[in-house]
Amino acid sequence: MDELDLLNRALPGARPPSPEVVARARARARARVRARERARERVPRRRVRAWWAAPVTVAVVGLVFALVTTLAPPSTPVLTRPNQALYDLADRIERLTEKKGAYWRGEELWGSYVRTDGYTFLMTMRVDRWLPREPGGKKLNVSQPVYTMEPATAADARAWRAAGSPAKITVACGDGGPCGQVSTKKGHNCAYDRTGANGLLSGHGFARLTVADLAALPTGRDALMAWLRDFHKAWAGRGSKPAFDEFLPVASNLLAAPIGPAQRAALIRLLAASPHVKVVGEVTGPLGGKGLALDFGELDHVFDSRLTPAKFPYQRRIVDLSTGRWLADVTYQGRAIGGVAKGAPLMFAARHVSTGWAEGPPVPPKGCKALKLVG
């Protein structure tokens, strides 16, 4: 059925159209039929093209993206602050939980390398100090001036035995000349006292501070800076010479004291910002443990009067990477001389693993003699 049949049914009494009109109408009808058939034939082909067109589009987009990425200027690198490792350490330790205890035990080993021809001995001194958290508690100060005297390494032990295991060895001075002889026998002298200054911390430059004073230190960086400025004024009033910017690295001595994680974090941030402090890198302490080695440059003489800028030894302070506490001070040879290589360790003071809060009560080592010492 086409449009002429429809017209006849709709208008049965109308006059029939002319042959030309009929021809045009039938041509339009055939054209519509062919158009519908072509449309049905094209549908599958369009769907096939759609399957491969998508990967091509993705490939083109990817190519454009790659070109834009390649030709675009490089992104600005993330700049880190000087001593960033110290800032990171402060962030890690700030919220550590602290072990509780009635006593602060500070045990240290002080070592000195005794070098002679062919081998090296390590001589250590042990100091063990117990301080009560509360005023009036028992105190204990133990000192063993010659705690160990033994070859520094297995190779040194073999060389010493090959030399006949001498009972005394000649010590070389810093200039390479002989300084005298020391015994290779381990010392057994040990002394202790319980009458030191009541609750005061000896050494580390803050001897007048009690355990309670240390517990009250500010935990914010700015507040701690203000406290240190006030402390420095009093310190300078007693005849100390360093200006405050030189004194600030000295405050790292507090990392050896019984202060909390937040206080240590605040102090470490102050050290990180000091122009006199430089992070050298990660090292292993003399008694083990990983730490950050700090260089105080010419301020070494603040910690040891023998280490003036004109002399050749230099010192590194090592801060524990896990706790932020003081781990060790190590003095190194600045130049090769007298058979001692540049960079060789000369002496150290190191925190023993037993350092920290303990329950106690403190008991003198067996065989130790009671001695009244100045606290």
Side-chain angles (χ1 to χ4, degrees):
M1 182 180 294
D2 56 24
E3 60 185 57
L4 295 179
D5 296 327
L6 292 174
L7 182 61
N8 288 331
R9 290 184 181 184
L11 301 172
R15 199 171 77 179
S18 65
E20 293 82 3
V21 172
V22 172
R24 287 196 297 270
R26 294 191 182 281
R28 287 196 297 270
R30 286 192 297 270
R32 284 196 294 271
V33 171
R34 286 196 297 270
R36 285 195 295 269
E37 290 174 351
R38 286 196 299 268
R40 283 194 295 269
E41 292 173 356
R42 283 198 298 267
V43 169
R45 288 196 294 270
R46 281 200 300 269
R47 289 174 181 171
V48 171
R49 282 200 300 269
W51 285 107
W52 60 261
V56 172
T57 304
V58 172
V60 172
V61 171
L63 177 61
V64 172
F65 179 80
L67 289 173
V68 170
T69 304
T70 304
L71 299 177
S75 59
T76 304
V78 178
L79 299 178
T80 58
R81 294 170 288 187
N83 296 331
Q84 183 64 44
L86 280 175
Y87 289 108
D88 294 342
L89 174 59
D91 293 341
R92 287 199 305 271
I93 69 165
E94 190 169 22
R95 293 179 178 82
L96 290 177
T97 56
E98 194 83 321
K99 180 182 177 182
K100 302 298 182 182
Y103 291 87
W104 172 260
R105 183 183 185 185
E107 184 175 2
E108 300 175 14
L109 285 182
W110 302 348
S112 179
Y113 293 93
V114 181
R115 292 178 170 87
T116 188
D117 292 337
Y119 50 86
T120 300
F121 265 67
L122 174 61
M123 180 173 61
T124 63
M125 172 182 177
R126 176 175 174 264
V127 177
D128 192 6
R129 177 179 290 264
W130 292 69
L131 295 173
R133 185 187 291 271
E134 301 297 333
K138 291 183 178 181
K139 300 175 296 297
L140 179 66
N141 303 306
V142 177
S143 176
Q144 294 177 270
V146 183
Y147 182 56
T148 61
M149 183 66 177
E150 56 193 15
T153 66
D156 292 318
R158 290 192 296 270
W160 176 63
R161 289 193 295 268
S165 303
K168 291 185 177 182
I169 57 176
T170 301
V171 181
C173 288
D175 58 2
C179 271
Q181 289 189 323
V182 296
S183 173
T184 58
K185 295 181 179 180
K186 179 179 178 180
H188 297 283
N189 50 340
C190 176
Y192 75 91
D193 83 291
R194 295 184 181 276
T195 59
N198 187 22
L200 296 181
L201 289 173
S202 296
H204 297 294
F206 294 87
R208 295 178 181 269
L209 297 178
T210 66
V211 174
D213 292 333
L214 293 166
L217 285 181
T219 57
R221 186 185 64 177
D222 295 340
L224 183 59
M225 174 71 88
W227 183 93
L228 287 171
R229 287 189 181 278
D230 292 340
F231 186 91
H232 173 257
K233 290 178 183 178
W235 195 48
R238 296 195 297 268
S240 299
K241 297 179 181 180
F244 181 74
D245 65 330
E246 295 182 345
F247 163 76
L248 189 56
V250 181
S252 65
N253 290 333
L254 287 171
L255 296 176
I259 62 176
Q263 295 165 322
R264 296 197 299 272
L267 179 54
I268 288 172
R269 291 187 178 105
L270 292 179
L271 294 173
S274 170
H276 295 288
V277 178
K278 178 183 177 182
V279 174
V280 178
E282 294 187 13
V283 297
T284 301
L287 303 182
K290 296 294 183 180
L292 280 180
L294 306 182
D295 178 10
F296 295 127
E298 294 187 353
L299 294 188
D300 278 352
H301 66 279
V302 175
F303 304 95
D304 189 336
S305 59
R306 296 168 296 178
L307 303 181
T308 61
K311 293 185 178 181
F312 46 81
Y314 62 92
Q315 189 180 74
R316 295 285 184 261
R317 172 148 292 178
I318 304 175
V319 180
D320 195 313
L321 274 172
S322 62
T323 64
R325 292 196 183 281
W326 171 78
L327 188 63
D329 290 334
V330 184
T331 301
Y332 298 93
Q333 184 78 353
R335 55 178 174 147
I337 189 171
V340 182
K342 179 180 179 180
L346 299 177
M347 62 188 74
F348 66 82
R351 185 197 73 207
H352 194 270
V353 67
S354 63
T355 294
W357 290 106
E359 288 302 329
V363 178
K366 187 178 181 179
C368 236
K369 296 180 179 180
L371 181 64
K372 185 176 180 179
L373 301 176
V374 178

